[in-house]
Amino acid sequence: MLGVVQPVEDVKQRLRPFGLFFERSLKDLIKGIRAHGDSPESLEKYLAEELSHCREEVNSLDMNLKSNAVLKLAYLEMYGFDMSWANFHILEVMSSTGMRNKRVGYLAASQSFNRDPDILILMTNLLQKDLKYSATGGNDTYKIGVALSGVSSFVTKDLAKDIVQDLLLMLNNSKPYIRKKTVVALFKVYLQYPESLRDTFDQFVLKLEDEDRSVVSATVSVICELSKQNPSIFIQLSPVLYEILVTIDNNWIIIRLLKLFTNLSKVEPKLKHKLLPKIVELMDSTSATSVLYESINCIVKGQMLSTDDFDVAMKCLKCLNEFCISQDPNLRYISCLLFYKIGKINPQFVEQFDELILHLLCDVDVSIRSKALELLNGITHDGNLKLIVSTLMKQFVNEEVVVIENYRNAATRDVPIVVPEDYKIKLVTTIIKLCSMNNFINIPDFKWYNTVLIDLVVVSSDLKDKTRLGSMIGEQIKSVMLRVPDLRNVTMTTIITILTMEKMNLSTVLKECVWCLGEYSKLIENGDALIQLLIRNAPHFNAETKVVLIPAILKLFGSWCNGPANQDLPSIKIVLNDMIDFLDTLTTSSSFEIQERSIEVSEILKLSLDAVEMQEQDNSDEGGLPLLLCEVIPGFFNSYELLPILAGTQRRLQEEGQISSVDLITPFLTQTELSNILKDYDEIQEDGLSHTDRLSDHDGKYRSESDLDDSVANDAGNAAAGDEVHDDLHFLEEQRRQEQLSNPFYLTEESEGTKATTNDLLSLDSNDSSKREDLTLIKLASENLTANAGKTGERKKRGKAKRAVVLADEVVIEPNPRADSTTLHQKVAALNKSDRGINLVTQSQLSSFDFSKKGDDRELDDAENEAELEKLRKKFAAQSLDTSNVSEPVEDQEEVIVIKKKKKSKKKKKKNEEDVPDESNTVQNE
């Protein structure tokens, strides 16, 4: 039996050097994984079995069997199995004399050694041995190539210090293959050990003049990559690199040189005058698309294109125009990127390419569409804004398809283009930015823009980023309402249309709409109907909208009570009761802001209700409205008209502390002024006359029933005083009318005979007939509509519509800028920027290294260590002196003595004195 087994083992041993194994090879492992891939359980079991076999084979004394096991472990690492436990066995395989085993060892080392830097200490001598070249050795060239490839994978700073001199010797090797691999390996060495680049810079740069083109290409590529870390080092090479660019005819080297000059021109602007003519000449002489694109990229990213250089810009844009209409989607995408960068330099450069950009908006590739959206700022003007917005809005509705042809059977099929939601969100954002840029300078018709805003509300209701989109749309509605006073009726129509939508999911839009309703409540004639609408829809509002709703309904109520139509007290009383009941439900809200506002407004309305009831008890039809309704409530909000101001004004004032100068302690009225106001009010209450009667009657003859007995005595005096008051009021009224006529933003009031019928805007609830009977239609103020109708007639007579006047921001004196203008948000963003995601880039110290310092690094390290030791000595000495200043020591206490040793001096030992200390500070306890 033993005689049969022994020859089989001998045959296996003889066949293994030829790559024939009777154990399971890597090929068998892959076949087994595919065979057990039906279920995760069977695959996991199979992998566990193979891993146990590898553990047994890797301990074998046979180097070929050990190499086969290491190769399978390197493959199993892709499935998540750790192989760092086999690092010592990998090192043994690397030391093998066979070329096949050595390649397997370096492959496994490149995957495993970067996680265990300690193992690199054991392989330093092995690596230096493999890097030695012998002209007589047959496989030395490929052995060195394998070693250089491994160095690029697992080199560290300590390893780079040990092998950098060996690599420099190999730069002069007679084999171009070795010189090229050495140049590439030095790239990783320079990243880990920047001092070596400073010391070997001249030797490395000589490879730019190498006789072999592959070595020159590798050197240019390494310099290009190093320049991304610290381009200032290679500015001195500009003449040599420019000479290569002029004489070389290899497109790959030209592309790398253009990338290199892109990095260098950012730190040396003088290169522009030398490089730009050559690059333009290169664009005329070459037909390679890659060289043309890289030339344009070098001009744009290298900051060689100025804002007034139209000739070079047009040349670049014409080339990009051809790239954008090509069949290659990658070329179209990167061309859009350069188009955008050129447009940022000067928007006038891309104005004549509007047809191309509109064509890219309908591209099959959605990523190209997304980049084309960023180009619209440069081509948008008042003549094509409607076309651009309509093109973008159609992408929300139309289902686009692409026709795919099958060349085998000549069949075609339609595949729909899937538009992602992120692109739709970008569409909405782009439309708003285009319309609102430069204070609505591109909008020809604000009625059209109001329609666009309504459409944006509809399409944004189904998108995921509702909060941000709703805020943007709401800001636009508020801005149009504030800045375009001529068309506030149209904007009010838009607001009420949005409020009455059935499916309304943008709560942030409702917040701004409700604010506009309260701020411009005078535009609504039947405010009671609008108040009922808001109260009924309030349960569907969020907390932020309810905070704005509470003062809004108070403004609406005040404007409705003091409107042109005389409201009777019973109607006012009904609305007051409804508002009080609604506010009472908000007093128990979970939001403190809602509670506070609802209680404040509720108390004001309760006082108003008491005043209305007292007015009804007087049975005075000519008494008018109480003081709270006609003066107090409107006085809360009608002190002045809101105007647009510069963004960030309040924040800048707070930063400069200017708001703190406002006196918040001294009352607005003195005690004497407050007493006079209260005294006048008491007199009015005693007379039984409302404040409205005294202001509305100009002859001064109205008086209360209690004054009838004194009417005969005071008749003559009252008549004279009435004439004087009548004349004064008439003069003031005439003066106010003249100011209104001279104000272009004031909507003039037509005579009663020319008043048009009220405009029924929207029904509150068309589905509920009972509510339709109870609530009237929301109507805009008739005088405003009539004024607008008159203006519309004038425009028709002129034949051309006149653009609405848009109010600009008020000029606000900005405070002095701070020395550190970086905001807290920017600082936090900068700190978090480096922590986002996993960094797969090779760590380098090259960007922060100072190449101006020369000398032995070890001497510098020793000097730094000596300085640190000196600081520690002083620190311990100071602490010891503090303890020695204490009062005389007690017998139980220990005396602390600090002794310093002077440099280069020795003291003899003295009897009955302290011992001689060592090199460092010593603290002796006696």
Side-chain angles (χ1 to χ4, degrees), residues 254-299:
I254 291 175
I255 291 173
R256 301 303 296 180
L257 285 172
L258 290 173
K259 289 181 177 293
L260 176 56
F261 279 122
T262 301
N263 300 328
L264 297 183
S265 59
K266 293 179 181 179
V267 296
E268 185 53 63
K270 295 179 181 179
L271 292 175
K272 168 187 174 182
H273 306 289
K274 187 71 174 178
L275 290 174
L276 188 57
K278 176 59 183 176
I279 296 176
V280 174
E281 180 184 351
L282 181 63
M283 294 173 61
D284 294 332
S285 60
T286 185
S287 59
T289 303
S290 58
V291 177
L292 281 173
Y293 172 79
E294 200 57 50
S295 300
I296 301 172
N297 188 53
C298 180
I299 294 174

Coordinates of all heavy atoms in Angstrom, one line a residue, residues 254-299:
I254 N 0.7 65.8 -24.7 CA 0.2 67.2 -24.8 C -1.0 67.4 -23.8 O -1.1 68.4 -23.2 CB -0.3 67.4 -26.2 CG1 0.9 67.4 -27.2 CG2 -1.1 68.7 -26.4 CD1 0.6 67.6 -28.6
I255 N -1.8 66.4 -23.7 CA -2.9 66.5 -22.7 C -2.4 66.6 -21.3 O -2.9 67.5 -20.5 CB -3.9 65.3 -22.9 CG1 -4.6 65.3 -24.2 CG2 -4.9 65.2 -21.7 CD1 -5.4 64.1 -24.5
R256 N -1.4 65.8 -20.9 CA -0.9 65.9 -19.6 C -0.2 67.3 -19.4 O -0.3 67.8 -18.3 CB 0.1 64.8 -19.3 CG -0.5 63.4 -19.5 CD -1.7 63.2 -18.6 NE -1.3 63.2 -17.2 CZ -2.2 63.0 -16.2 NH1 -3.5 62.8 -16.5 NH2 -1.8 63.0 -14.9
L257 N 0.5 67.8 -20.4 CA 1.1 69.1 -20.2 C 0.0 70.2 -20.1 O 0.2 71.1 -19.3 CB 2.0 69.4 -21.5 CG 3.3 68.6 -21.5 CD1 4.0 68.8 -22.9 CD2 4.2 69.1 -20.4
L258 N -1.1 70.1 -20.8 CA -2.1 71.1 -20.7 C -2.7 71.0 -19.3 O -3.0 72.1 -18.7 CB -3.2 70.9 -21.7 CG -2.8 71.2 -23.2 CD1 -3.9 70.7 -24.2 CD2 -2.5 72.7 -23.3
K259 N -2.9 69.8 -18.7 CA -3.4 69.7 -17.4 C -2.4 70.3 -16.4 O -2.8 71.0 -15.4 CB -3.7 68.3 -17.0 CG -4.9 67.7 -17.7 CD -5.1 66.2 -17.3 CE -6.3 65.6 -18.0 NZ -7.6 66.2 -17.5
L260 N -1.1 70.1 -16.6 CA -0.1 70.6 -15.8 C -0.1 72.2 -15.8 O 0.0 72.8 -14.8 CB 1.3 70.1 -16.2 CG 2.5 70.6 -15.4 CD1 2.3 70.4 -13.9 CD2 3.7 69.9 -15.9
F261 N -0.2 72.8 -17.0 CA -0.2 74.2 -17.1 C -1.5 74.8 -16.5 O -1.5 76.0 -16.1 CB 0.0 74.6 -18.6 CG 1.4 74.6 -19.1 CD1 1.7 73.8 -20.2 CD2 2.4 75.3 -18.4 CE1 3.0 73.7 -20.6 CE2 3.7 75.3 -18.9 CZ 4.0 74.5 -20.0
T262 N -2.5 74.0 -16.5 CA -3.8 74.5 -15.8 C -3.5 74.7 -14.3 O -4.0 75.7 -13.8 CB -4.9 73.5 -16.0 OG1 -5.1 73.3 -17.4 CG2 -6.2 73.9 -15.3
N263 N -2.8 73.8 -13.7 CA -2.5 74.0 -12.3 C -1.4 75.1 -12.0 O -1.5 75.8 -11.1 CB -1.9 72.7 -11.7 CG -2.9 71.5 -11.8 OD1 -4.1 71.7 -11.8 ND2 -2.4 70.3 -12.0
L264 N -0.5 75.2 -12.9 CA 0.6 76.2 -12.7 C 0.1 77.6 -13.0 O 0.5 78.6 -12.3 CB 1.8 75.9 -13.7 CG 2.5 74.6 -13.5 CD1 3.7 74.5 -14.4 CD2 3.0 74.4 -12.1
S265 N -0.8 77.8 -13.9 CA -1.3 79.2 -14.3 C -2.1 79.8 -13.2 O -2.4 81.0 -13.1 CB -2.0 79.2 -15.6 OG -3.1 78.3 -15.5
K266 N -2.7 78.9 -12.3 CA -3.5 79.4 -11.2 C -2.6 80.2 -10.2 O -3.1 81.1 -9.5 CB -4.2 78.3 -10.5 CG -5.3 77.6 -11.4 CD -5.9 76.4 -10.6 CE -6.9 75.7 -11.5 NZ -7.6 74.6 -10.8
V267 N -1.4 79.8 -10.0 CA -0.5 80.5 -9.1 C 0.5 81.4 -9.7 O 1.2 82.2 -9.1 CB 0.3 79.4 -8.2 CG1 -0.7 78.6 -7.4 CG2 1.1 78.5 -9.1
E268 N 0.6 81.4 -11.1 CA 1.5 82.2 -11.8 C 0.8 82.8 -13.0 O 0.7 82.3 -14.1 CB 2.7 81.5 -12.3 CG 3.8 82.3 -12.9 CD 4.2 83.5 -12.1 OE1 4.8 83.3 -11.0 OE2 3.9 84.6 -12.5
P269 N 0.1 84.0 -12.8 CA -0.7 84.6 -13.9 C 0.1 85.0 -15.1 O -0.4 85.2 -16.2 CB -1.4 85.8 -13.2 CG -1.3 85.5 -11.8 CD 0.0 84.8 -11.6
K270 N 1.4 85.2 -14.9 CA 2.3 85.6 -16.1 C 2.4 84.6 -17.2 O 2.7 84.9 -18.3 CB 3.7 86.0 -15.5 CG 3.7 87.2 -14.6 CD 5.1 87.4 -14.1 CE 5.2 88.6 -13.1 NZ 6.5 88.9 -12.6
L271 N 2.1 83.3 -16.8 CA 2.1 82.3 -17.9 C 1.1 82.5 -18.9 O 1.2 81.9 -20.0 CB 2.0 80.9 -17.2 CG 3.1 80.4 -16.3 CD1 2.7 79.1 -15.6 CD2 4.4 80.3 -17.1
K272 N 0.0 83.2 -18.6 CA -1.0 83.4 -19.6 C -0.5 84.0 -20.9 O -0.9 83.5 -22.0 CB -2.1 84.3 -19.0 CG -3.2 84.8 -20.0 CD -4.1 85.8 -19.3 CE -5.0 86.4 -20.4 NZ -5.9 87.4 -19.8
H273 N 0.3 85.0 -20.8 CA 0.7 85.7 -22.0 C 1.6 84.8 -22.9 O 1.6 85.0 -24.1 CB 1.5 87.0 -21.6 CG 0.7 87.9 -20.7 ND1 -0.3 88.6 -21.1 CD2 0.9 88.1 -19.4 CE1 -0.8 89.3 -20.1 NE2 -0.1 89.0 -19.0
K274 N 2.3 83.8 -22.3 CA 3.1 82.9 -23.1 C 2.3 81.7 -23.6 O 2.6 81.3 -24.8 CB 4.3 82.5 -22.3 CG 5.3 81.7 -23.0 CD 6.1 82.6 -23.9 CE 7.3 81.8 -24.6 NZ 8.0 82.6 -25.5
L275 N 1.4 81.2 -22.8 CA 0.7 80.0 -23.1 C -0.5 80.2 -24.1 O -0.7 79.3 -24.9 CB 0.3 79.3 -21.9 CG 1.4 78.7 -21.0 CD1 0.8 78.2 -19.7 CD2 2.1 77.6 -21.7
L276 N -1.2 81.3 -23.8 CA -2.5 81.4 -24.6 C -2.3 81.4 -26.1 O -3.1 80.7 -26.8 CB -3.2 82.7 -24.1 CG -4.6 82.9 -24.6 CD1 -5.5 81.7 -24.2 CD2 -5.2 84.2 -24.0
P277 N -1.4 82.1 -26.7 CA -1.2 82.1 -28.1 C -0.9 80.7 -28.6 O -1.4 80.2 -29.7 CB -0.1 83.0 -28.4 CG -0.1 84.0 -27.3 CD -0.5 83.2 -26.1
K278 N 0.0 79.9 -27.9 CA 0.3 78.6 -28.3 C -0.9 77.6 -28.2 O -1.1 76.8 -29.1 CB 1.5 78.1 -27.4 CG 1.9 76.6 -27.7 CD 2.3 76.4 -29.1 CE 2.6 74.9 -29.4 NZ 2.9 74.7 -30.8
I279 N -1.7 77.8 -27.2 CA -2.9 76.9 -27.0 C -3.9 77.2 -28.1 O -4.5 76.3 -28.7 CB -3.5 77.1 -25.6 CG1 -2.5 76.7 -24.5 CG2 -4.8 76.3 -25.5 CD1 -3.0 76.9 -23.1
V280 N -4.1 78.5 -28.5 CA -5.0 78.8 -29.6 C -4.4 78.2 -30.9 O -5.2 77.7 -31.7 CB -5.2 80.3 -29.7 CG1 -6.0 80.7 -30.9 CG2 -5.8 80.8 -28.4
E281 N -3.1 78.3 -31.1 CA -2.5 77.7 -32.3 C -2.7 76.2 -32.3 O -2.9 75.6 -33.4 CB -1.1 78.1 -32.3 CG -0.3 77.6 -33.5 CD 1.2 77.9 -33.5 OE1 1.6 78.7 -32.6 OE2 1.9 77.4 -34.3
L282 N -2.6 75.6 -31.1 CA -2.8 74.2 -31.1 C -4.2 73.8 -31.4 O -4.4 72.7 -32.0 CB -2.4 73.7 -29.6 CG -2.5 72.2 -29.3 CD1 -1.5 71.4 -30.2 CD2 -2.2 71.9 -27.9
M283 N -5.2 74.6 -31.0 CA -6.6 74.3 -31.3 C -6.8 74.4 -32.9 O -7.6 73.6 -33.4 CB -7.5 75.3 -30.6 CG -7.5 75.1 -29.1 SD -8.4 76.4 -28.3 CE -10.1 76.1 -28.9
D284 N -6.1 75.2 -33.5 CA -6.2 75.3 -35.0 C -5.6 74.2 -35.7 O -6.0 73.9 -36.8 CB -5.7 76.7 -35.5 CG -6.5 77.9 -34.9 OD1 -7.7 77.7 -34.7 OD2 -5.9 79.0 -34.7
S285 N -4.5 73.7 -35.2 CA -3.7 72.7 -35.9 C -4.1 71.2 -35.6 O -3.8 70.4 -36.4 CB -2.2 72.8 -35.5 OG -2.0 72.7 -34.2
T286 N -4.8 71.0 -34.6 CA -5.2 69.6 -34.2 C -6.6 69.3 -34.6 O -7.5 70.2 -34.6 CB -4.9 69.3 -32.7 OG1 -5.2 67.9 -32.4 CG2 -5.9 70.2 -31.9
S287 N -6.9 68.0 -34.8 CA -8.2 67.6 -35.1 C -8.7 66.6 -34.0 O -9.8 66.1 -34.1 CB -8.3 66.9 -36.4 OG -7.4 65.8 -36.5
A288 N -7.9 66.3 -33.0 CA -8.2 65.4 -32.0 C -9.2 66.0 -31.0 O -8.9 67.1 -30.5 CB -7.0 64.9 -31.2
T289 N -10.3 65.4 -30.8 CA -11.3 65.9 -29.9 C -10.8 66.1 -28.4 O -11.1 67.1 -27.8 CB -12.6 65.0 -29.9 OG1 -13.0 64.9 -31.2 CG2 -13.7 65.6 -29.0
S290 N -10.0 65.1 -28.0 CA -9.5 65.1 -26.6 C -8.5 66.3 -26.4 O -8.6 67.0 -25.4 CB -8.8 63.8 -26.3 OG -7.7 63.6 -27.2
V291 N -7.7 66.6 -27.4 CA -6.8 67.7 -27.3 C -7.5 69.1 -27.4 O -7.2 70.0 -26.6 CB -5.7 67.7 -28.4 CG1 -4.8 68.9 -28.3 CG2 -4.9 66.4 -28.3
L292 N -8.6 69.1 -28.2 CA -9.4 70.4 -28.3 C -10.1 70.6 -27.0 O -10.1 71.8 -26.5 CB -10.4 70.2 -29.4 CG -9.9 70.4 -30.9 CD1 -11.0 70.1 -31.8 CD2 -9.4 71.9 -31.0
Y293 N -10.7 69.6 -26.4 CA -11.4 69.8 -25.1 C -10.4 70.2 -24.0 O -10.7 71.1 -23.2 CB -12.1 68.5 -24.7 CG -12.7 68.6 -23.3 CD1 -13.9 69.3 -23.1 CD2 -12.0 68.0 -22.3 CE1 -14.4 69.4 -21.8 CE2 -12.6 68.1 -21.0 CZ -13.7 68.8 -20.8 OH -14.3 68.9 -19.5
E294 N -9.2 69.5 -24.0 CA -8.3 69.9 -22.9 C -7.7 71.3 -23.1 O -7.3 71.9 -22.1 CB -7.2 68.8 -22.9 CG -6.4 68.7 -21.6 CD -7.3 68.5 -20.4 OE1 -8.2 67.5 -20.5 OE2 -7.2 69.2 -19.4
S295 N -7.6 71.7 -24.3 CA -7.1 73.1 -24.6 C -8.1 74.1 -24.0 O -7.7 75.1 -23.4 CB -6.9 73.3 -26.1 OG -5.9 72.4 -26.6
I296 N -9.4 73.9 -24.3 CA -10.4 74.8 -23.8 C -10.5 74.7 -22.3 O -10.6 75.7 -21.6 CB -11.8 74.4 -24.4 CG1 -11.7 74.5 -25.9 CG2 -12.9 75.3 -23.8 CD1 -13.0 74.0 -26.6
N297 N -10.3 73.5 -21.7 CA -10.3 73.4 -20.3 C -9.1 74.1 -19.6 O -9.3 74.7 -18.6 CB -10.3 71.9 -19.9 CG -10.5 71.6 -18.5 OD1 -11.4 72.1 -17.8 ND2 -9.5 70.9 -17.9
C298 N -8.0 74.1 -20.3 CA -6.8 74.8 -19.8 C -7.0 76.3 -19.8 O -6.6 77.0 -18.8 CB -5.6 74.4 -20.6 SG -4.1 75.2 -20.1
I299 N -7.7 76.8 -20.8 CA -7.9 78.2 -20.9 C -8.9 78.7 -19.8 O -8.7 79.7 -19.2 CB -8.4 78.6 -22.3 CG1 -7.3 78.3 -23.4 CG2 -8.9 80.0 -22.4 CD1 -7.8 78.5 -24.8

